[in-house]
Amino acid sequence: MTPTHSIQASIVRKRDGHSLDRNEIDAWIRGVADGTVPEYQSAALLMAIFVRGMSREETVALTEALLRSGRVLDWKGVGRPTVDKHSTGGVGDKVSIALAPWVAACGAIVPMLAGRGLGHTGGTLDKLEAIPGFRTRLSAADFEAQVRRVGVAIAGQSDDLAPADGALYALRDATGTVESIPLIVSSIVSKKVASGAAGIVFDVKCGAGAFVRTREQAVLLARELLDVTRAMGRNARALVTAMDQPLGAAIGNANETVEAIDVLHRRAPADLTALTRTLGAAMLVMAGIARERHEAEARLDRALELGEALRCAERFIQAQGGDPRVVTDPAQLPRARTETKVTAPRGGTVSAVDGGALGHLLVAMGGGRRTKEDTVDASVGIRLLRKVGDPVAAGEPMALIEAHRDAPDWAAVAAAAYSIGDQRVEPPTQVLEDLAT
Amino acid sequence: MTPTHSIQASIVRKRDGHSLDRNEIDAWIRGVADGTVPEYQSAALLMAIFVRGMSREETVALTEALLRSGRVLDWKGVGRPTVDKHSTGGVGDKVSIALAPWVAACGAIVPMLAGRGLGHTGGTLDKLEAIPGFRTRLSAADFEAQVRRVGVAIAGQSDDLAPADGALYALRDATGTVESIPLIVSSIVSKKVASGAAGIVFDVKCGAGAFVRTREQAVLLARELLDVTRAMGRNARALVTAMDQPLGAAIGNANETVEAIDVLHRRAPADLTALTRTLGAAMLVMAGIARERHEAEARLDRALELGEALRCAERFIQAQGGDPRVVTDPAQLPRARTETKVTAPRGGTVSAVDGGALGHLLVAMGGGRRTKEDTVDASVGIRLLRKVGDPVAAGEPMALIEAHRDAPDWAAVAAAAYSIGDQRVEPPTQVLEDLAT
């Protein structure tokens, strides 16, 4: 394919640290969408952007160009407020599966497009696919019809929403240009705006188990998500939340889906329930269903007490072809045959649980993906019996490896992910920052 | 094409400022040569190298890998010392056309591979092709046979010498990654070493009409060329020479070839003759034909006096299919029909002649290339009647535009390339640095 001279000039400008103007960015993304800009020129430009960064104006222009490459869903006439949530992802983050039907049960419309797992972090679509029959691939028409009828759908990105982002993302993955704030922000915001919700709550994960390690970096990313989403005419709020250890007790696809449903049964681990409730309250306030946090939490609590959230979960699972019995009977989900105990090498207090290491272990067990072509085994998993701040005695089980064979090797890897000390440790704070404005 | 995971890891390492090891560089260039590394991954890696740079060890490893992608010419048994010259290029640099047969006439073997012009700098091959019948595309066998028989050949890069460099160069051109010292050095040295000369003299141009603008940058590039060539087991010497104004009086393909031959007739402009003689002396000393500069210059002068250099030029032009009569009768070369005077707007002393501006003017006149696909008109040109340090009276001609029509528009552009002041100006020093060790 012949190189494009105007793109070459843009590459040189970005390479030398200059800003690209709106016309240059539009021309590039149009060329990505219609295939006239060769991939090698986009790859060079992505690397230049990775190294030199982008201004707020450039990031907004890139987001708009990506959005314009496809259609934008429109919920006019749906009669209820629309709201969405996006998490930057971390080990054990199964929040969306409980949150979306819970918030929908309180009267909001939740048109949620989700992703798959890659590397050490899982993906909501993989978790939902553990439910027998569940379809994550919906046509745009089916997605829209279900959202209007049930109030909620969780599906994969359809090809006609921000298609240029799909092409760029594949290139970024192959060219070492994933972890760039302007590229991450424009990719996330263009997709979220394309799915049409009037407001978006961002959960920016921060810590050893997340892409962003430091609080400063997380605040930077959260601020950029917030401002770019607002520049696109949508409401936005961003929480920065701790992801030093996995969220909840379950890691794996089927067992995380069970644990998410447990939130709606009021029997899930406290940290998972608390974060889901906090995000749900932010969504209800944003949607105008509650005036402030306490009123929103009261509404959420009532939806659990009355069983409205469970019934919404059943309807949403059934609407997407899944077996709704999983909501009351988790035995319908696939399950690994054996449990291998991960025992404490010494007594003391758990001071850290390395989520990244456990995420990589799940991949090694077949429960995650090394490359996009890998298939995942939904039934394998890791169950944490002890978390940060918990006391443990020497020889006591700290976790279980759920697999198809006795797995002392994997148990040893899981044990190494635990740090045990002599000092008392407070359980970590969950919400580190709340950027409402 | 599927991305290569090991290349992705190398991209990330270079992106983050780490060094690549020899195995990584070898794997990349093997993949470039056999087409298994997709161009988008090479493009991202080239941009990362452009921005982060390469250590001396990395540049040597890249040069060796490029060299290994093809064959290396071997002059064993040729019975005479082999020596070559490479110039980084500038406006009016027609040195090679005189230098190669001159040095060959003194007893060295000169197997010279040259390039074409692109943008504001011309190329030796384009200039030679102004000679009726001259072929610059020789098979490797014809090139070798001619060098052994005549002592000199000047031809285009054949496909089997450093072929991976050809692929990378095309990508660099399209992705804004040309002007990087490690990429430039590995590209030049791999090709020069592949053509098999035991020693190489580099002419690194420096100033307004060259790629490198400052003396510091030029010394850096010269030092890198020197050290990498030596690391490849060849002798090397590098001169840094001034390229603030064009070299000689002629700019254009046919008229530069005439002016180069004029060097051998002892009737060329002094600056062109002096630089050609200086580079020739360095080559003769490197080849061991002379012990030191004065002896070498005496040998070169004798070759002019005895007509040996002219006869060698005739033999070499004839061997490549060209009409040897051009050596004694320049009327055999194509010539534009009209001359438009470029007159001085005021009197004074010429203080600068902007070679870059005149190079771009030649492209606009059809005598150079904007893109690699353009054809060039060998007959058009610019002739400088005044250069830096020359006095000029108001209304006097400073230059001539040689074209196919009266060209007051082009004359105005050429006039603007001249600066005229009231102060006396010394003609610029030619050789700024001589890096022999």
Side-chain angles (χ1 to χ4, degrees):
Chain A
M1 190 185 289
T2 46
T4 305
H5 285 289
S6 63
I7 298 300
Q8 190 176 343
S10 298
I11 297 169
V12 168
R13 281 162 52 72
K14 179 48 72 182
R15 177 198 84 185
D16 293 344
H18 302 295
S19 289
L20 303 183
D21 67 30
R22 189 168 282 272
N23 292 335
E24 287 180 278
I25 291 172
D26 283 353
W28 173 37
I29 297 303
R30 272 199 313 273
V32 169
D34 68 16
T36 55
V37 169
E39 290 185 317
Y40 54 81
Q41 287 192 312
S42 288
L45 186 49
L46 287 168
M47 181 57 78
I49 291 170
F50 187 101
V51 175
R52 302 297 186 197
M54 272 188 149
S55 70
R56 170 67 44 77
E57 288 67 34
E58 290 177 282
T59 307
V60 169
L62 177 55
T63 308
E64 285 179 0
L66 291 171
L67 181 67
R68 255 200 311 275
S69 73
R71 56 191 290 257
V72 177
L73 299 186
D74 184 352
W75 303 108
K76 261 202 296 277
V78 77
R80 284 192 279 163
T82 52
V83 66
D84 197 356
K85 183 225 55 158
H86 180 84
S87 160
T88 59
V91 177
D93 182 359
K94 70 280 286 177
V95 163
S96 293
I97 297 168
L99 179 68
W102 194 2
V103 169
C106 296
I109 292 284
V110 186
M112 190 179 274
L113 296 175
R116 298 199 173 275
L118 187 62
H120 73 284
T121 54
T124 297
L125 299 183
D126 295 322
K127 293 167 194 177
L128 282 168
E129 284 176 354
I131 300 171
F134 196 98
R135 287 178 293 114
T136 57
R137 229 184 129 79
L138 302 183
S139 72
D142 286 350
F143 182 80
E144 293 191 51
Q146 180 184 324
V147 168
R148 284 173 188 271
R149 197 174 75 247
V150 185
V152 55
I154 305 181
Q157 184 75 12
S158 78
D159 291 342
D160 55 354
L161 300 183
D165 176 70
L168 272 198
Y169 191 85
L171 258 187
R172 285 168 59 203
D173 192 47
T175 58
T177 51
V178 169
E179 306 95 335
S180 151
I181 285 188
L183 295 178
I184 289 170
V185 167
S186 55
S187 173
I188 291 174
V189 176
S190 64
K191 283 184 293 195
K192 283 286 157 183
V193 170
S195 68
I200 301 151
V201 173
F202 293 102
D203 179 10
V204 178
K205 300 293 189 191
C206 159
F211 145 56
V212 177
R213 299 299 171 96
T214 72
R215 187 160 168 170
E216 291 68 34
Q217 272 263 299
V219 169
L220 223 73
L221 176 56
R223 171 56 58 202
E224 199 73 13
L225 284 168
L226 206 59
D227 291 352
V228 173
T229 304
R230 286 185 178 148
M232 305 296 289
R234 306 297 164 103
N235 293 322
R237 182 165 168 183
L239 305 184
V240 174
T241 66
M243 185 38 87
D244 285 306
Q245 64 177 345
L247 187 62
I251 303 171
N253 289 302
N255 67 5
E256 288 196 43
T257 295
V258 172
E259 191 173 75
I261 293 169
D262 282 349
V263 170
L264 306 183
H265 284 293
R266 294 187 287 178
R267 64 189 180 207
D271 63 340
L272 174 62
T273 299
L275 181 61
T276 310
R277 188 164 169 265
T278 298
L279 291 166
M283 290 169 81
L284 290 185
V285 170
M286 178 171 281
I289 289 171
R291 274 161 304 183
E292 43 71 50
R293 178 181 171 168
H294 294 292
E295 189 185 330
E297 288 177 346
R299 179 71 191 88
L300 288 165
D301 293 346
R302 204 166 71 241
L304 292 193
E305 282 155 26
L306 299 177
E308 295 169 332
L310 282 170
R311 283 198 300 277
C312 186
E314 284 171 341
R315 281 200 308 277
F316 131 73
I317 289 169
Q318 189 159 31
Q320 292 189 230
D323 184 342
R325 289 176 299 166
V326 297
V327 172
T328 43
D329 180 11
Q332 304 296 324
L333 285 158
R335 193 173 177 166
R337 288 186 300 272
T338 65
E339 288 182 351
T340 308
K341 289 193 175 82
V342 178
T343 53
R346 54 163 286 189
T349 302
V350 175
S351 58
V353 183
D354 182 342
L358 294 174
H360 286 297
L361 172 58
L362 184 74
V363 173
M365 291 167 61
R369 282 190 189 79
R370 269 194 194 85
T371 73
K372 276 172 293 196
E373 293 72 36
D374 290 351
T375 53
V376 295
D377 180 348
S379 69
V380 299
I382 306 161
R383 178 161 301 278
L384 309 183
L385 307 176
R386 294 285 186 282
K387 294 188 60 179
V388 172
D390 291 341
V392 69
E396 225 180 12
M398 302 186 291
L400 299 173
I401 300 294
E402 303 168 341
H404 303 298
R405 60 164 174 88
D406 268 334
D409 47 343
W410 291 336
V413 174
Y418 274 80
S419 303
I420 301 171
D422 296 319
Q423 249 113 57
R424 230 190 97 179
V425 180
E426 292 296 323
T429 311
Q430 198 161 38
V431 177
L432 303 173
E433 306 269 354
D434 181 352
L435 283 74
T437 55
Chain B
M1 190 184 288
T2 46
T4 305
H5 286 287
S6 62
I7 298 300
Q8 190 177 343
S10 297
I11 296 169
V12 168
R13 280 163 52 72
K14 181 46 71 182
R15 176 198 85 186
D16 293 344
H18 302 294
S19 288
L20 303 182
D21 67 29
R22 188 168 284 270
N23 291 335
E24 287 180 280
I25 291 171
D26 283 352
W28 172 38
I29 297 303
R30 272 199 313 273
V32 169
D34 66 17
T36 55
V37 169
E39 289 183 317
Y40 54 81
Q41 288 194 312
S42 288
L45 186 49
L46 287 168
M47 181 57 77
I49 291 170
F50 186 100
V51 174
R52 303 298 188 197
M54 272 188 149
S55 69
R56 171 67 44 78
E57 288 67 34
E58 289 176 283
T59 307
V60 169
L62 177 56
T63 308
E64 285 180 0
L66 291 172
L67 181 67
R68 254 200 311 275
S69 73
R71 57 191 288 255
V72 177
L73 299 186
D74 184 352
W75 302 108
K76 261 202 295 279
V78 79
R80 284 191 280 159
T82 53
V83 66
D84 197 356
K85 185 225 52 158
H86 179 85
S87 160
T88 59
V91 177
D93 183 359
K94 69 281 286 176
V95 164
S96 293
I97 297 168
L99 180 67
W102 194 0
V103 169
C106 297
I109 292 285
V110 186
M112 191 179 275
L113 297 175
R116 298 199 175 274
L118 186 62
H120 72 284
T121 53
T124 297
L125 299 184
D126 295 322
K127 293 168 193 175
L128 283 168
E129 284 176 355
I131 300 172
F134 196 97
R135 287 178 294 115
T136 57
R137 229 184 129 80
L138 301 184
S139 72
D142 285 351
F143 182 80
E144 292 190 52
Q146 180 184 325
V147 168
R148 284 173 188 270
R149 198 175 73 247
V150 185
V152 55
I154 304 182
Q157 185 75 12
S158 79
D159 292 342
D160 56 354
L161 299 184
D165 176 70
L168 271 198
Y169 191 85
L171 258 187
R172 283 169 59 203
D173 192 45
T175 59
T177 50
V178 169
E179 306 95 335
S180 152
I181 285 187
L183 295 178
I184 290 170
V185 168
S186 55
S187 173
I188 292 174
V189 176
S190 63
K191 284 184 292 197
K192 282 287 155 183
V193 170
S195 68
I200 302 151
V201 173
F202 294 101
D203 178 9
V204 178
K205 299 292 189 191
C206 160
F211 144 58
V212 177
R213 299 298 172 95
T214 71
R215 185 161 169 169
E216 292 67 35
Q217 273 262 299
V219 169
L220 222 72
L221 175 56
R223 171 57 58 203
E224 199 74 14
L225 284 167
L226 205 60
D227 290 353
V228 173
T229 304
R230 286 186 178 148
M232 305 297 289
R234 307 295 163 104
N235 293 323
R237 182 165 169 185
L239 305 186
V240 174
T241 66
M243 184 39 85
D244 285 306
Q245 66 177 343
L247 187 62
I251 303 171
N253 289 301
N255 67 2
E256 288 197 43
T257 296
V258 172
E259 190 173 76
I261 293 169
D262 282 349
V263 171
L264 307 183
H265 284 293
R266 293 188 286 178
R267 63 189 180 206
D271 62 341
L272 174 62
T273 299
L275 181 61
T276 309
R277 188 164 170 264
T278 299
L279 290 166
M283 290 168 80
L284 290 185
V285 171
M286 180 171 279
I289 289 170
R291 273 162 304 183
E292 43 72 50
R293 180 182 169 169
H294 294 291
E295 188 184 332
E297 288 176 345
R299 179 70 192 89
L300 287 165
D301 294 345
R302 204 168 70 241
L304 293 193
E305 284 156 25
L306 300 177
E308 296 169 330
L310 281 170
R311 283 198 301 276
C312 185
E314 284 172 340
R315 279 200 309 274
F316 130 72
I317 289 169
Q318 187 158 34
Q320 292 190 228
D323 183 342
R325 288 176 298 166
V326 298
V327 171
T328 43
D329 180 12
Q332 305 296 323
L333 284 158
R335 194 175 177 166
R337 288 185 299 271
T338 66
E339 287 182 353
T340 308
K341 288 193 176 82
V342 178
T343 53
R346 54 163 287 190
T349 302
V350 175
S351 58
V353 182
D354 184 340
L358 294 175
H360 286 296
L361 173 59
L362 185 73
V363 173
M365 292 167 61
R369 283 190 189 80
R370 271 195 193 83
T371 72
K372 276 172 292 194
E373 292 73 35
D374 291 350
T375 54
V376 295
D377 179 348
S379 68
V380 299
I382 306 161
R383 177 163 304 278
L384 309 183
L385 307 177
R386 294 285 185 282
K387 293 187 61 177
V388 172
D390 289 344
V392 67
E396 223 180 13
M398 303 186 291
L400 299 173
I401 301 294
E402 303 168 339
H404 304 298
R405 60 164 174 89
D406 266 335
D409 47 342
W410 293 336
V413 174
Y418 273 80
S419 303
I420 302 172
D422 296 319
Q423 240 113 62
R424 230 191 98 178
V425 181
E426 292 295 324
T429 311
Q430 198 160 39
V431 176
L432 304 174
E433 305 268 354
D434 180 354
L435 283 74
T437 53

